[in-house]
Amino acid sequence: MVKKEILVLTEPGQLLRQAIQTEKPLQIVGTIHAYAARLAEASGHKALYLSGAGVANSRLALPDLAMTSLDDVVTEVTKITQASTLPLLVDADTGWGSPLNIRRTFSMLSKAGAAGAHIEDQTEAKRCGHRSGKKLVSTESMVGKIKAALDGRNSDSFMVMARTDAFAVEGLQGALERARTYEAAGADAIFVEALDSLDHYLQFTRALTIPVLANITEFGKTPLFSRESLAKVGVSMILYPLSAFRAMNQAALKVYEAILQQGTQQSVIPLMQTRDELYQYLQYENYEKELDEYNQLMEREDANN
């Protein structure tokens, strides 16, 4: 009897690709820090995302205007990938510089444990994808970015995703043509930003053979299409980049205001995670048990000496 070889997925990129195949479409939720990643995994999600805007907003209190560095992002990637076993997709913005820097960017992100990253075709002085005033690099320049990203990744399983912001600048046909060219250049997936109808998504999924990602971010250009509706038009991945972050911010603001205005936090206790819940997701008791075992071992060693 011939034994069947069982493929064990160990690389983050393999896990992400498998999740895309099994979850149709795959919902990818934004995790603004390591603890949020732990919460997302515990709730049953299969993939995580680190937003460039989220890093700028939450870590530096800056807008999404190309003011963060590669080191800022890699630091957060390392923290998240150490806290969660889920594959992490990362926003690499415009790549932080020349093709050589882009190659270094994708090398560092893959070494930090990310499963993939997307790079966009905006100019280096980029804007949020749902703001006006975006400017694009040439298609040829973006092809060079994709090639550099592919050369930089440490494993072929690491997903190099090409994001195009061309719909807002060059219209539907211009965006479709760019997406086809990016696929031909070797991109593993396409992130098409700020579409405003399901029919537009359908045109992209029909025009391409690689997975298409829909960015369903709140208060932006794209309606909040459901998972079911996006599945019907062939979308493979749905991104919710800052949903939890926005909820956290609103809850925190209400708490700060209540403490100042009411002199107590009593009215906003329902907004809070309890101490026991916090400890549960941190596996606090497990760490305490391990600490006690180490301390007992040290005490025995001291007694023997």
Side-chain angles (χ1 to χ4, degrees):
M1 182 176 179
V2 178
K3 292 183 179 180
K4 292 183 178 180
E5 183 177 347
I6 299 175
L7 178 63
V8 179
L9 300 180
T10 57
E11 295 181 353
Q14 291 175 321
L15 295 174
L16 178 58
R17 291 169 187 269
Q18 183 61 42
I20 293 170
Q21 292 298 316
T22 56
E23 304 283 326
K24 296 186 179 295
L26 174 65
Q27 294 176 295
I28 306 176
V29 290
T31 49
I32 204 63
H33 45 51
Y35 185 65
R38 186 71 60 81
L39 293 176
E41 182 170 5
S43 69
H45 282 284
K46 304 301 183 184
L48 308 176
Y49 179 70
L50 180 63
S51 160
V55 172
N57 301 164
S58 69
R59 293 294 173 248
L60 302 169
L62 292 173
D64 185 21
L65 288 169
M67 290 188 280
T68 56
S69 69
L70 172 59
D71 287 345
D72 293 328
V73 174
V74 169
T75 296
E76 300 308 318
V77 170
T78 301
K79 293 175 183 177
I80 290 171
T81 56
Q82 289 177 350
S84 172
T85 62
L86 295 182
L88 176 68
L89 177 66
V90 179
D91 182 355
D93 285 330
T94 60
W96 292 285
S98 72
L100 291 178
N101 268 354
I102 292 168
R103 187 177 69 186
R104 176 173 176 267
T105 291
F106 277 73
S107 174
M108 290 183 67
L109 291 175
S110 53
K111 287 178 181 177
H118 63 77
I119 187 167
E120 63 199 58
D121 55 9
Q122 286 198 58
T123 58
E124 198 163 344
K126 60 155 289 176
R127 301 288 180 94
C128 166
H130 292 258
R131 300 281 292 177
S132 59
K134 297 188 290 186
K135 297 180 181 180
L136 307 180
V137 299
S138 68
T139 301
E140 293 76 15
S141 293
M142 182 60 178
V143 167
K145 288 187 177 189
I146 294 168
K147 297 291 189 184
L150 291 167
D151 288 343
R153 61 183 178 179
N154 286 12
S155 168
D156 288 344
S157 69
F158 185 93
M159 179 168 282
V160 173
M161 183 182 295
R163 169 176 146 175
T164 180
D165 285 73
F167 179 73
V169 181
E170 299 176 349
L172 178 62
Q173 292 307 314
L176 281 167
E177 186 58 37
R178 280 181 176 261
R180 291 190 191 97
T181 302
Y182 301 164
E183 177 180 11
D188 296 310
I190 294 292
F191 175 160
V192 53
E193 182 67 298
L195 294 185
D196 55 15
S197 77
L198 290 170
D199 180 65
H200 289 153
Y201 282 111
L202 181 61
Q203 293 195 52
F204 278 89
T205 60
R206 285 179 172 174
L208 304 170
T209 63
I210 55 178
V212 173
L213 178 145
N215 183 18
I216 306 302
T217 185
E218 304 81 18
F219 316 113
K221 304 289 187 182
T222 303
L224 301 183
F225 297 123
S226 69
R227 183 185 184 189
E228 180 182 14
S229 63
L230 289 165
K232 289 179 179 178
V233 295
V235 167
S236 296
M237 292 167 280
I238 310 173
L239 185 62
Y240 308 88
L242 294 169
S243 305
F245 176 58
R246 291 190 173 100
M248 293 174 195
N249 292 344
Q250 185 73 338
L253 185 60
K254 290 181 181 298
V255 169
Y256 293 143
E257 291 173 343
I259 290 171
L260 182 64
Q261 295 166 9
Q262 301 168 23
T264 174
Q265 70 271 54
Q266 188 63 51
S267 68
V268 289
I269 288 294
L271 295 177
M272 299 184 189
Q273 186 182 57
T274 68
R275 184 182 298 271
D276 286 343
E277 289 168 337
L278 173 68
Y279 288 176
Q280 173 190 340
Y281 293 112
L282 292 175
Q283 301 174 351
Y284 203 104
E285 291 183 358
N286 290 344
Y287 282 104
E288 282 185 325
K289 181 180 178 181
E290 292 172 348
L291 179 60
D292 289 342
E293 290 173 353
Y294 282 125
N295 286 336
Q296 291 170 8
L297 176 62
M298 293 169 65
E299 288 170 3
R300 288 196 297 269
E301 290 292 326
D302 288 342
N304 292 333
N305 292 332

